[in-house]
Amino acid sequence: AQSVAQPEDQVNVAEGNPLTVKCTYSVSGNPYLFWYVQYPNRGLQFLLKYITGDNLVKGSYGFEAEFNKSQTSFHLKKPSALVSDSALYFCAVRVNFNKFYFGSGTKLNVKP
Amino acid sequence: EAGVTQFPSHSVIEKGQTVTLRCDPISGHDNLYWYRRVMGKEIKFLLHFVKESKQDESGMPNNRFLAERTGGTYSTLKVQPAELEDSGVYFCASSQEYRQSQETQYFGPGTRLLVL
């Protein structure tokens, strides 16, 4: 069965510090990995995705994620956090042609 | 270009009542998906339309849920009769190309359903 784990319900970081939001997955087959962000009272917004090629993927708002096949991880990172990055982040994996499997979400709190 | 829209944004109903949620996908997107997030848990797949046809409805919880996509444009998701455990946020998403695993799905803002 396909699954995605986001082990941290919440991540707290000070503005200007680097941030990491963790994601691990378990799939049969080659995974396509995605990160989405949900701001309060908004829908899910696409941040970035890994399909193939370079393991380091760059996305919107300065975010990046590193695909690690041996550790089955796809952690989201940003070198310098902003207060405006505070939101709910979802990792997702897609194996077949349609549905996503999502993690439970990680709430990121960036404090001034 | 308008994104995915959903109506209503919030709905509060009593157990046993009926609720209908609507999703308007991005124009030209053949694929439409419904997902649900319950009680702060993971977002779970409900079903997938390709145009007006149900491609995969393996995530539908039970026969109290009925999804339609007449004419291959907007979709409705009806819950009848609603139960307490149906409370959650219902998301709709759309994408353009079928059978493209790398295709990004674009999500709507969700409908928050509370069943009392």
Side-chain angles (χ1 to χ4, degrees), chain B residues 1-50:
Chain B
E1 178 182 291
V4 177
T5 58
Q6 293 186 245
F7 182 83
S9 59
H10 296 78
S11 181
V12 181
I13 61 173
E14 293 187 351
K15 175 182 173 179
Q17 291 185 322
T18 297
V19 63
T20 300
L21 314 181
R22 173 171 170 147
C23 169
D24 286 78
I26 293 173
S27 178
H29 281 193
D30 288 340
N31 297 282
L32 188 149
Y33 309 82
W34 283 99
Y35 293 86
R36 179 174 72 171
R37 186 176 192 230
V38 174
M39 291 288 290
K41 296 187 177 180
E42 69 270 24
I43 300 170
K44 285 193 173 180
F45 168 83
L46 295 178
L47 88 159
H48 170 210
F49 283 100
V50 178

Side-chain angles (χ1 to χ4, degrees), chain B residues 88-104:
Chain B
V89 182
Y90 290 77
F91 291 102
C92 176
S94 72
S95 67
Q96 190 168 18
E97 297 290 336
Y98 179 50
R99 299 187 73 81
Q100 293 288 338
S101 292
Q102 63 267 37
E103 181 80 359
T104 298

